[in-house]
Amino acid sequence: MSAGRPLDVPPDPDASLVAEAEQGDRSAFEALYRQHVGRVYALCARMAGDARLAEELTQRSFVRAWQRLDGFRGGNFAAWVRRIAVRVVLDERRSHLRRRQRVVLADVDGADPTSATPSARLDLERAIAELPPKARHVFVLAAVEGWTHREIAADLSITEGTSKAQLHRARALLQEVLS
Amino acid sequence: MSRDPLDGRLADLPRSVEPPSNLWPGIASAINEAPEPRWRRWAPAMVLAATALLVASVLSVRAPTPEPPPSWAHQMRDASAALEIAVHQRDDLSPEVVAEIERNLAVIDAAIADCEAALSDHPEDPRVRDALARAWHTRLHVLTNARDLHPFP
């Protein structure tokens, strides 16, 4: 993500759907939802460490995206809606609205069938879910979503140094648990 | 250089995971029940009013004694007045929303005035009549929205 953007950046494939949604077309917004719900749900589930809560957070993320479409300044809609999801997760964390019940991701649709066994994936998902919240947030954004420490620091209102420290802590905890 | 085993396992994590249930009905319900975003509610009105204003400005040569507007314009004026009364009777709108409605109406009223002035000099010009009709429709649209608007929490 930190690499410079090439000059011949292709147009966002969602651009026409976004334009229609901006005009109030809910079916266009539903198409955007279908396109991106998997990435948003995975992000919410991993950051929240709670698959059930992630469903509600995913819904809130898309509702907030609908309400704030005027704030979308073009570019990558997929990245924009995931940033909204990150804020929704953090808002939920701050509000302490509900008791956390840790449940690992049960659905691994979309996984590469040639990759590790499902049990190994579930072990990792479970281990990520058990990380302390701040370390988990940084780890998911940095190691899974590919954000830079600068981007993480800006969105999580922490310093880049803290982001690096939390990532280091998360990796150490995961290696300990998984070994 | 050996690869960290954790990185290898991370690479196997699916980036996309479908939620166990269909979340769209809940989202659709929320966005249908919520008041429309303010930008979406007013933006078309402002565009239409601006269009009417532009057409009227181009054609407007003000006459000292303007011709009366067509009868449909009177009907729209009456309908608009009735809606305006209904909006004024609401006491649950925030001062910010009321001020925004009034700003919109001021723009539209200026467009209507310019259109009526232009109409006196070009009574048969379809562009002027169309601009006037659009301006009135816009005023009705804004007032209808204001009458039916859910108060913000």
Side-chain angles (χ1 to χ4, degrees):
Chain A
M1 288 184 75
S2 59
R5 294 166 67 93
L7 292 177
D8 55 346
V9 177
D12 185 4
D14 298 318
S16 60
L17 286 173
V18 171
E20 290 165 20
E22 282 178 336
Q23 299 301 313
D25 185 340
R26 286 168 170 79
S27 63
F29 190 70
E30 182 180 359
L32 288 168
Y33 159 81
R34 302 276 174 215
Q35 185 75 17
H36 300 291
V37 64
R39 288 292 301 269
V40 171
Y41 173 74
L43 173 62
C44 289
R46 289 178 179 133
M47 281 194 72
D50 183 332
R52 198 169 303 164
L53 175 60
E55 292 190 64
E56 187 178 329
L57 295 174
T58 302
Q59 287 183 316
R60 277 193 234 162
S61 299
F62 279 98
V63 171
R64 191 178 292 187
W66 167 261
Q67 292 288 348
R68 297 187 180 177
L69 266 178
D70 61 327
F72 179 60
R73 301 282 180 242
N76 187 327
F77 177 82
W80 180 75
V81 75
R82 290 205 299 278
R83 287 192 70 187
I84 287 179
V86 168
R87 294 197 189 109
V88 167
V89 172
L90 295 176
D91 288 348
E92 163 64 23
R93 168 78 189 154
R94 291 188 194 104
S95 65
H96 297 287
L97 285 178
R98 61 196 71 239
R99 184 168 51 87
R100 297 295 167 91
Q101 182 181 9
R102 302 209 188 285
V103 180
V104 297
L105 288 168
D107 190 329
V108 291
D109 285 354
D112 179 356
T114 65
S115 66
T117 63
S119 65
R121 285 199 300 273
L122 288 175
D123 285 347
L124 181 55
E125 297 280 19
R126 185 179 294 111
I128 293 171
E130 293 297 334
L131 286 171
K134 289 178 183 172
R136 185 174 65 242
H137 295 164
V138 170
F139 181 81
V140 170
L141 293 178
V144 182
E145 295 292 323
W147 288 29
T148 65
H149 285 294
R150 178 176 294 183
E151 291 168 329
I152 293 169
D155 275 44
L156 270 57
S157 301
I158 58 178
T159 65
E160 288 186 49
T162 301
S163 177
K164 290 174 184 173
Q166 292 287 3
L167 178 61
H168 180 77
R169 181 186 179 207
R171 291 185 67 93
L173 288 169
L174 287 174
Q175 282 163 343
E176 184 182 328
V177 169
L178 295 172
S179 65
Chain B
M1 193 166 69
S2 63
R3 190 184 187 195
D4 187 328
L6 178 59
D7 289 332
R9 297 178 76 160
L10 271 172
D12 293 328
L13 276 187
R15 296 300 184 261
S16 178
V17 178
E18 289 301 312
S21 56
N22 180 11
L23 305 180
W24 177 251
I27 296 168
S29 173
I31 66 178
N32 284 330
E33 287 175 9
E36 279 211 45
R38 191 176 296 190
W39 58 270
R40 188 175 293 131
R41 211 167 43 240
W42 302 124
M46 296 299 285
V47 170
L48 284 169
T51 305
L53 186 62
L54 180 65
V55 173
S57 300
V58 168
L59 295 171
S60 177
V61 179
R62 292 166 197 262
T65 52
E67 290 290 317
S71 59
W72 53 260
H74 288 297
Q75 292 169 8
M76 288 193 161
R77 188 184 298 277
D78 292 341
S80 180
L83 279 169
E84 207 159 346
I85 290 169
V87 172
H88 280 301
Q89 286 174 339
R90 292 191 62 167
D91 55 4
D92 57 347
L93 296 177
S94 71
E96 293 80 13
V97 170
V98 171
E100 191 171 351
I101 294 167
E102 287 176 349
R103 274 197 300 274
N104 277 272
L105 291 179
V107 172
I108 298 165
D109 287 346
I112 289 172
D114 280 351
C115 287
E116 289 182 341
L119 194 65
S120 67
D121 200 57
H122 308 278
E124 301 303 324
D125 191 317
R127 290 172 298 176
V128 182
R129 297 173 76 86
D130 183 56
L132 181 59
R134 280 165 174 258
W136 274 114
H137 278 295
T138 303
R139 197 175 204 282
L140 292 173
H141 177 74
V142 167
L143 286 167
T144 304
N145 272 336
R147 182 196 61 190
D148 300 336
L149 180 66
H150 293 289
F152 284 93

